[in-house]
Amino acid sequence: MTVKRDRPENKMWGGRFAGGPAQIMEEINASVDVDRRLWREDTEGSKAHAAMLSSAGIITAADAVAIASGLDKIADEIESGAFVFSTALEDVHMNIEARLKQLIGEPAARLHTARSRNDQVATDFRLWTRRACDQAGEALKDLQRALAAKASSHADTIMPGFTHLQTAQPITFGHHCLAYVEMFDRDRGRFEDARTRLNECPLGAAALAGTAFPIDRVMTAKELSFERPCANSLDAVSSRDFALEMLSAATIAASQLSRLAEEIVLWVSPQFGFVRLSDAFSTGSSIMPQKRNPDAAELIRAKVGRIGAAFVNLLFVMKGLPLAYAKDLQDDKAATFAAFDDFVLSCAAMTGMIKDMEVDEAVMREAAARGHSTATDLADWLVRALNIPFRDAHHLTGKIVSLADEKGLRLDALSLDDFCSIESRITDDVFSVLSIDASVASRTSYGGTAPDEVRKQAKRWLEELK
Ligand code: ARG
């Protein structure tokens, strides 16, 4: 598809104009480079409109048939790359209508009855955004599946759990993966919510006030699988909060993706060494032969900047815009399209990385055992076995930890005498809670990290995500 830069006077609205637009006017006004992406929605919307016009007796059945087959032919031309878009025709809508005129003649000029580009573009963009919500949801679902599968195979794999990025308590890698499954599920829910709210049809609102023609808005809404027509024509042509909502869902989801991306960057570093990415998802350095860089993770971490910027971009376009349509609204698409592309690409790259990722269980386990990660288990034991109030148990444990540090030992390497030097009532039984295996196995509260609990949750998710 090429864009031809010619400038005949505008045949679509130029009736009252003696001359064509200045080159610079055409350049700022034309949107076809961006909105030609709406060609599918535009032909679908026009077919629905034509069918309705004919069923309402506003155009003949023969005209409607000619329009529909012309639009089908145009869709084929665009899909095959044969269609020539022209900037002089401003946007995708007028490009398609002009071509329809070439193909079928006079009936093409009847298509725009009881319609304006204002309701037309609002309809097209809603249709596009609805698909975008669906596709974003699918991309997230693929990622959730990959994470749930990893969780299921690593329900027993012990890793350090962090707070402040300091070793906190041992957890399982499966548990960590499932945290993201939950997060991405809420993201998916946000796209679903956005879809539900946007699913009303602007078509038939015309320029802003509705139309005197006896149109059937319920019919076009149904034809395009909308729940119902938008109930206010001014709102229908001038609202873009549906796109803002999609972008806000994408921004939040991208921020969550960036957290996982950041963790992957840390995990693959030699300093952590927790996981290894496949060759397919690693890159080399042109100077340092030893490097395996997590470029995809870094780029996903960065993408939230562009996606969030698209949200802010559209928010600022909308701020203070009086009702109803203004050409500002044409600038709703470029950043939205780009943000959506960035988002689904990020999801796909993350899914690929997770699927291929190899976990170094020995390294994770070793790291989990460092940093006195079972100190909380020791404090809990003092509470349970000796009925010491938790605050006091916490204090005593702190003393035991510093004794271990002094001796350069892990908690489970201290002798019973060492323990008793701090609290004389401690018995041998204390050693039963000091291992990382005992620690994770004990965390059986609902939603906790115990392997059995993780296995249950992973199974539930794999079922749910089928
Ligand atoms: N390309 C325009 C857009 O995306 C179509 C609507 C034009 N309407 C108008 N009144 N000039 O907003």
Side-chain angles (χ1 to χ4, degrees):
M1 284 185 281
T2 48
V3 174
K4 210 171 73 195
R5 299 207 180 265
D6 51 355
R7 6 180 239 110
E9 82 276 355
N10 197 305
K11 294 265 163 42
M12 315 301 289
W13 48 247
R16 62 161 297 178
F17 288 82
Q23 175 70 34
I24 213 80
M25 178 60 207
E26 188 177 302
E27 242 168 70
I28 193 169
N29 202 34
S31 58
V32 64
D33 281 343
V34 170
D35 62 26
R36 64 197 222 178
R37 185 164 172 166
L38 294 176
W39 66 267
R40 197 185 296 277
E41 290 78 11
D42 198 67
T43 50
E44 279 169 10
S46 288
K47 280 170 73 173
H49 184 65
M52 181 279 292
L53 288 177
S54 134
S55 122
I58 300 165
I59 63 171
T60 65
D63 283 352
V65 168
I67 289 169
S69 68
L71 288 168
D72 284 341
K73 177 148 201 314
I74 291 170
D76 289 344
E77 286 177 359
I78 297 175
E79 200 152 33
S80 72
F83 193 95
V84 181
F85 284 97
S86 154
T87 23
L89 289 165
E90 269 185 53
D91 56 23
V92 65
H93 322 292
M94 296 207 290
N95 268 271
I96 288 176
E97 199 185 312
R99 177 68 181 140
L100 190 63
K101 187 87 192 294
Q102 286 174 353
L103 287 174
I104 67 165
E106 199 235 22
R110 300 188 185 278
L111 169 60
H112 213 53
T113 315
R115 181 179 81 169
S116 149
R117 271 186 299 153
N118 298 351
D119 59 334
Q120 187 178 358
V121 71
T123 303
D124 293 359
F125 197 29
R126 274 198 201 228
L127 287 170
W128 181 88
T129 306
R130 193 173 69 186
R131 268 197 194 112
C133 287
D134 292 344
Q135 286 170 15
E138 278 309 310
L140 283 167
K141 200 168 180 182
D142 286 345
L143 176 54
Q144 285 181 289
R145 275 192 209 104
L147 285 162
K150 272 281 174 271
S152 164
S153 47
H154 288 284
D156 295 286
T157 303
I158 297 181
M159 72 179 282
F162 299 97
T163 61
H164 315 269
L165 202 57
Q166 307 282 319
T167 304
Q169 292 174 351
I171 57 170
T172 63
F173 183 61
H175 194 50
H176 200 104
C177 291
L178 288 178
Y180 282 104
V181 175
E182 299 282 343
M183 290 152 76
F184 293 134
D185 208 57
R186 290 192 296 276
D187 289 325
R188 206 150 56 84
R190 275 182 273 273
F191 281 109
E192 279 166 15
D193 292 348
R195 182 200 208 281
T196 305
R197 237 181 319 278
L198 75 71
N199 208 16
E200 296 183 344
C201 186
L203 198 58
L208 74 164
T211 175
F213 288 100
I215 59 170
D216 182 351
R217 291 195 57 208
V218 173
M219 180 181 167
T220 39
K222 224 175 176 178
E223 192 76 23
L224 297 168
S225 302
F226 284 109
E227 273 304 309
R228 61 189 82 84
C230 299
N232 182 293
S233 60
L234 301 174
D235 173 44
V237 294
S238 64
S239 291
R240 296 293 183 271
D241 54 293
F242 62 87
L244 275 175
E245 216 174 329
M246 189 277 281
L247 287 171
S248 74
T251 302
I252 296 170
S255 81
Q256 316 229 72
L257 276 172
S258 81
R259 300 180 72 177
L260 180 53
E262 164 67 4
E263 298 205 301
I264 291 172
V265 171
L266 289 171
W267 292 343
V268 299
S269 72
Q271 286 72 16
F272 276 75
F274 286 5
V275 304
R276 187 178 164 88
L277 297 177
S278 65
D279 286 356
F281 284 96
S282 300
T283 47
S285 155
S286 56
I287 177 167
M288 297 165 283
Q290 85 283 12
K291 294 293 284 294
R292 286 176 68 81
N293 292 330
D295 286 24
E298 293 165 85
L299 288 163
I300 293 167
R301 189 173 58 184
K303 290 285 185 227
V304 61
R306 292 158 57 111
I307 296 166
F311 171 74
V312 174
N313 177 329
L314 182 55
L315 193 66
F316 279 22
V317 168
M318 299 312 295
K319 184 201 167 293
L321 202 63
L323 302 190
Y325 181 86
K327 200 64 177 257
D328 311 46
L329 289 169
Q330 178 166 282
D331 259 340
D332 57 356
K333 296 174 207 70
T336 305
F337 289 163
F340 169 75
D341 292 343
D342 280 333
F343 181 72
V344 289
L345 180 60
S346 296
C347 287
M350 184 59 90
T351 304
M353 267 191 295
I354 296 291
K355 273 188 178 156
D356 284 13
M357 174 184 284
E358 273 173 36
V359 174
D360 194 327
E361 299 180 17
V363 170
M364 275 191 180
R365 193 180 164 79
E366 168 58 22
R370 283 198 303 265
H372 306 307
S373 63
T374 56
T376 315
D377 301 85
L378 171 55
D380 288 348
W381 184 89
L382 294 171
V383 171
R384 273 197 319 272
L386 305 179
N387 197 26
I388 297 174
F390 182 78
R391 280 286 159 232
D392 302 338
H394 182 283
H395 188 74
L396 286 172
T397 302
K399 290 192 156 170
I400 297 170
V401 163
S402 74
L403 178 65
D405 277 342
E406 255 166 53
K407 299 198 160 200
L409 294 172
R410 295 183 179 177
L411 287 177
D412 60 355
L414 291 173
S415 68
L416 184 57
D417 283 347
D418 290 331
F419 282 103
C420 289
S421 71
I422 310 269
E423 164 54 59
S424 62
R425 290 175 293 160
I426 293 177
T427 68
D428 243 353
D429 184 53
V430 76
F431 291 103
S432 69
V433 300
L434 296 179
S435 77
I436 53 175
D437 298 278
S439 175
V440 294
S442 74
R443 299 283 192 273
T444 52
S445 54
Y446 177 75
T449 201
D452 283 345
E453 191 66 26
V454 172
R455 249 184 299 277
K456 254 187 256 165
Q457 295 276 3
K459 196 168 161 228
R460 170 177 74 81
W461 274 117
L462 287 171
E463 260 323 291
E464 213 161 287
L465 295 166
K466 255 187 192 138

